[in-house]
Amino acid sequence: MSTAKLILKGTEHELPLVEGSEGEIGIDVASLRATSTAITLDPGYGNTGSCQSAITFIDGEKGILRYRGYPIEDIAKEASFTEVCYLLIYGKLPDRQELAGFEEKLTYHSLLHEDMKKFFEGYPPGAHPMAILSAMVGSLSTYYPAWSGAEDVDLNIVRLLAKAKTIAAFSHKKSLGQPFIYPRNALSYTQNFLHMMFAVPAEDYEVPAVLDRALNLLLILHADHEQNCSTSTVRMVGSSQANLFASISAGICALWGPLHGGANQKVIEMLERIRDDGGDYRKYVALAKDKTSDFRLMGFGHRVYKNFDPRATLLRAAAGEVLDELGVDDPLLEIAKNLEQVALEDDYFIDKKLYPNVDFYSGILYRAMGIPTDMFTVMFALGRLPGWIAHWKEMREDPKGRINRPRQIYVGATRRSFVPLAMRDGGKAPEEVLEPVGAW
Ligand code: ACO
């Protein structure tokens, strides 16, 4: 394959090109520093490929998203979330037997060690469930510390997928002061989560099919998105050979921020703010455009998608159906639709290619499903688990894998003489302080 030529201070450097299976081209700069002493600088990493990966393909200009080659639209229509977990993590669609075996393991590992329940007693009632999820996923490494081979890894992968949903549901119950509801082996992965979230011991609870379908779709659409902030964090932490639970716990923290997975919570808070302020959504569109304000329309814009976010398209259609079926009449949805319409017709949003992203509609759906706002990002994390795990596994199985350690361009002070504390206030240093400094 051809090379790229870089002329640096008069010297020519030839850099190999790497071509992906979908024709994407990267300039391999791995040898650049050794041959030139220069590095590449790309704050925010918008132009930097951190790895080669065979898991997910995105074409942000064309609005394409594929898991292991399969279009997200087909997966969303045909697959279950557990099938998608298997596909992402093991690289192939499971056959019936493989899927049944995988689902059985997920079912039988969904209980938490009873001692872990005591952790919940230590959190204050208003504790954010993302903090609980991250801390408890990290704590799983204290119960399942083994890392001695592929079998251990596979078992820990199953434990993580199975127990994370139990932790998430228990953190919701803790916030309500209700008893924890244990998983039931007769239920599917998604049904079990809904059961643990919404059942109470005093009554029978049957998981409504519409909620199960919606949850399955939401989890699938969040399952992977290549090298985003949280997945890169999982790879960064995992590159030091930190264990699976520690690496995923770090990814959960990265996801929490409002510019990433935390945006779904912020969308609802923004819509509530507009509602409480009289519903004048145009005022907030104007505010988002005003460069003197730091207000942004949450749920709009994406680093990669500059056309449309295919996940948002699927969720938008589902949101209408689910809300109709549930008979939910939510004034926030009306504001959301108006906001979307205005923003899509406004030159500012058109010029900057700012479209509603997945978080814009997921928040509305979760709200309609009865999931409280501060659980939204936890729901995102549950969906993203298989993607994080797949990337962690791919990285750890790469024989050429190295610890991730970026460089920097230093812009601080050049060498200067150290000033002893006694001399820093501009006054003359007392004699007794000056003498002994550095004397030994
Ligand atoms: N509202 C108003 N203006 C916006 C918005 C927005 N939501 N998003 C971007 N812009 C503007 C920026 O001010 C900037 O304008 P400028 O060129 O005049 O300076 C321009 O559009 C480009 O924005 P950047 O912040 O440079 O784009 P970047 O790729 O770094 O950020 C991000 C992408 C973080 C998603 C951004 O669009 C944003 O903050 N959106 C709101 C938060 C959100 O919805 N996050 C969820 C993302 S999806 C996910 O993580 C699953």
Side-chain angles (χ1 to χ4, degrees):
M1 170 137 205
S2 52
T3 53
K5 284 193 179 128
L6 172 72
I7 298 168
L8 199 67
K9 294 191 174 171
T11 307
E12 192 173 288
H13 297 269
E14 205 158 299
L15 299 164
L17 297 185
V18 180
E19 186 169 350
S21 50
E22 290 285 350
E24 290 167 305
I25 292 181
I27 303 169
D28 180 351
V29 295
S31 64
L32 183 62
R33 190 167 183 281
T35 56
S36 72
T37 74
I39 61 167
T40 55
L41 180 65
D42 183 20
Y45 307 133
N47 305 281
T48 297
S50 60
C51 61
Q52 295 189 44
S53 175
I55 300 170
T56 287
F57 172 68
I58 300 176
D59 182 331
E61 277 71 34
K62 295 193 186 130
I64 293 174
L65 170 61
R66 295 186 201 131
Y67 297 161
R68 301 280 187 186
Y70 301 104
I72 190 65
E73 293 79 6
D74 295 350
I75 294 180
K77 210 176 338 151
E78 306 282 344
S80 67
F81 178 61
T82 44
E83 257 177 291
V84 172
C85 290
Y86 193 100
L87 171 68
L88 286 170
I89 296 168
Y90 298 109
K92 64 179 273 257
L93 285 170
D95 61 27
R96 276 171 211 261
Q97 205 183 343
E98 286 164 333
L99 183 61
F102 184 59
E103 287 180 339
E104 185 180 87
K105 281 194 265 172
L106 289 177
T107 301
Y108 283 96
H109 284 281
S110 53
L111 278 176
L112 297 185
H113 191 294
E114 279 295 293
D115 287 351
M116 283 195 91
K117 271 176 36 193
K118 298 194 188 115
F119 291 12
F120 289 96
E121 289 165 24
Y123 294 113
H128 198 286
M130 279 299 270
I132 297 180
L133 185 67
S134 159
M136 297 217 27
V137 165
S139 302
L140 287 174
S141 59
T142 64
Y143 290 83
Y144 312 105
W147 161 245
S148 56
E151 246 173 64
D152 278 344
V153 173
D154 277 343
L155 190 53
N156 279 351
I157 286 173
V158 163
R159 284 173 174 143
L160 177 54
L161 284 168
K163 292 176 199 303
K165 67 177 185 322
T166 311
I167 295 170
F170 279 20
S171 69
H172 173 57
K173 289 295 187 190
K174 154 86 188 179
S175 75
L176 297 179
Q178 287 184 2
F180 299 135
I181 300 293
Y182 282 62
R184 298 181 62 130
N185 289 352
L187 300 178
S188 72
Y189 188 93
T190 43
Q191 286 170 336
N192 237 326
F193 174 73
L194 293 164
H195 167 76
M196 289 189 282
M197 281 286 288
F198 297 124
V200 286
E203 284 173 10
D204 292 335
Y205 176 78
E206 198 173 325
V207 178
V210 56
L211 292 196
D212 187 23
R213 269 201 326 271
L215 179 61
N216 200 57
L217 177 68
L218 281 155
L219 296 183
I220 288 174
L221 295 184
H222 286 85
D224 193 42
H225 217 231
E226 49 116 308
Q227 310 309 320
N228 55 81
C229 175
S230 55
T231 304
S232 301
T233 302
V234 170
R235 279 187 177 258
M236 173 68 86
V237 175
S239 77
S240 74
Q241 303 207 342
N243 69 62
L244 175 72
F245 303 118
S247 307
I248 302 292
S249 167
I252 293 168
C253 291
L255 184 74
W256 193 359
L259 296 190
H260 191 13
N264 54 14
Q265 172 167 349
K266 294 290 166 201
V267 167
I268 295 298
E269 287 169 3
M270 173 187 77
L271 295 174
E272 283 171 346
R273 179 174 158 192
I274 298 173
R275 177 200 61 197
D276 296 345
D277 193 23
D280 183 1
Y281 51 89
R282 287 174 200 278
K283 178 173 143 189
Y284 285 86
V285 173
L287 200 58
K289 289 158 50 178
D290 180 356
K291 287 288 164 203
T292 62
S293 134
D294 59 5
F295 177 80
R296 285 189 167 197
L297 280 191
M298 298 312 288
F300 278 76
H302 198 277
R303 172 63 63 82
V304 177
Y305 293 120
K306 300 299 175 197
N307 179 329
F308 63 94
D309 180 339
R311 303 166 301 171
T313 309
L314 290 163
L315 277 189
R316 185 181 195 273
E321 284 170 32
V322 171
L323 266 68
D324 279 353
E325 204 169 326
L326 289 172
V328 172
D329 184 16
D330 187 349
L332 292 196
L333 185 65
E334 214 38 51
I335 297 175
K337 280 184 183 158
N338 289 331
L339 209 54
E340 178 194 19
Q341 199 55 35
V342 173
L344 291 178
E345 288 164 358
D346 190 293
D347 285 346
Y348 174 94
F349 291 87
I350 294 168
D351 291 349
K352 293 187 190 301
K353 301 187 186 337
L354 300 171
Y355 295 90
N357 59 47
V358 67
D359 288 321
F360 191 68
Y361 300 104
S362 64
I364 293 163
L365 259 168
Y366 283 133
R367 184 175 152 93
M369 291 165 72
I371 292 173
T373 314
D374 68 358
M375 279 289 288
F376 288 3
T377 316
V378 168
M379 302 306 298
F380 192 152
L382 292 184
R384 186 53 55 86
L385 271 181
W388 288 332
I389 294 169
H391 284 273
W392 182 90
K393 189 167 180 287
E394 183 179 64
M395 182 202 59
R396 292 295 280 267
E397 289 171 355
D398 179 359
K400 292 200 204 124
R402 303 172 75 195
I403 188 166
N404 288 359
R405 202 309 188 176
R407 289 187 176 263
Q408 62 166 17
I409 297 291
Y410 176 68
V411 294
T414 53
R415 187 195 162 115
R416 48 185 169 167
S417 299
F418 182 77
V419 182
L421 180 59
M423 295 178 73
R424 275 175 235 163
D425 56 7
K428 209 167 147 271
E431 307 272 304
E432 67 277 10
V433 174
L434 272 181
E435 275 308 309
V437 170
W440 74 89

